[in-house]
Amino acid sequence: MADNLDWKTRLAVTYTDAGKTVAITPIDSFSPTFSLGIEAIHSIERTHVGAVFSPQSITFSMTVKAIGDVAARLTALALSGTRFAITLQEKAGNDWAFNSVVLSDCMITSATPTSASPSGAPSATFSGISMHAAVDGKDNARTEIP
C-alpha cells in the first residue's frame, strides 16, 4: 500500500529553470482532451466515402489544492508564459498500461480558483493546451502527435 504514495506514481508538471528540471506535484485531477480532427465526407449515394483531416489539438484541465505552493507555482507559470510538460512516470510493477505519457510544450490558458470555505481546502483548476504528446507503451511502441 505504501507504493501508492510514491510521487513517481503520480502526474507531475515539469519545467526547466536555470538549467534545472523542476517538478510541481501533486495534481489532484487531470482531464486531457485529444481532438484528432477527422471529418467524414458523404455523397448523395453513400456515406463515408472519404475523410478530411484537420490539425490535431490537445487541451487539458488539471485541478490542484490551493494549499502549499502548488497553485502559486502554476499561476506563476501561467503569468510568465513558461512552457512545461505534464509527465507520468512508470510505477514499479506491471499494472500500468504505459511506460510514460508526456504532454510537452504546454501552456496555461486560464485558471479558476474556488472560494475558501471552513469545511475544506480550496482548489484551483488550470486549463491549457499542449503542442505535442508522446506515449511509450509497455510493448515499447511509441506514438506521438502531432
Side-chain angles (χ1 to χ4, degrees):
M1 188 68 167
D3 251 15
N4 294 336
L5 300 177
D6 184 358
W7 69 269
K8 289 184 180 180
T9 66
R10 297 185 183 180
L11 290 171
V13 169
T14 59
Y15 65 98
T16 303
D17 184 21
K20 282 181 34 180
T21 300
V22 179
I24 300 175
T25 186
I27 297 171
D28 292 332
S29 71
F30 180 75
S31 300
T33 303
F34 297 87
S35 175
L36 302 177
I38 302 170
E39 182 179 339
I41 298 175
H42 306 282
S43 74
I44 294 174
E45 297 85 26
R46 304 185 323 163
T47 61
H48 298 93
V49 294
V52 174
F53 295 86
S54 302
Q56 301 152 335
S57 68
I58 307 164
T59 59
F60 62 86
S61 66
M62 61 182 161
T63 302
V64 299
K65 293 227 181 347
I67 54 176
D69 67 347
V70 175
R73 292 169 66 190
L74 289 172
T75 300
L77 286 179
L79 295 175
S80 67
T82 302
R83 292 186 182 205
F84 58 91
I86 299 173
T87 61
L88 171 68
Q89 292 86 14
E90 182 178 12
K91 181 180 184 285
N94 294 319
D95 56 347
W96 285 86
F98 302 105
N99 286 333
S100 69
V101 176
V102 178
L103 298 182
S104 56
D105 286 331
C106 297
M107 294 170 275
I108 294 173
T109 57
S110 67
T112 309
T114 62
S115 301
S117 71
S119 62
S123 63
T125 300
F126 294 87
S127 298
I129 63 167
S130 173
M131 305 298 279
H132 183 262
V135 175
D136 290 318
K138 286 288 187 185
D139 59 357
N140 294 324
R142 183 172 177 87
T143 304
E144 296 185 54
I145 62 172

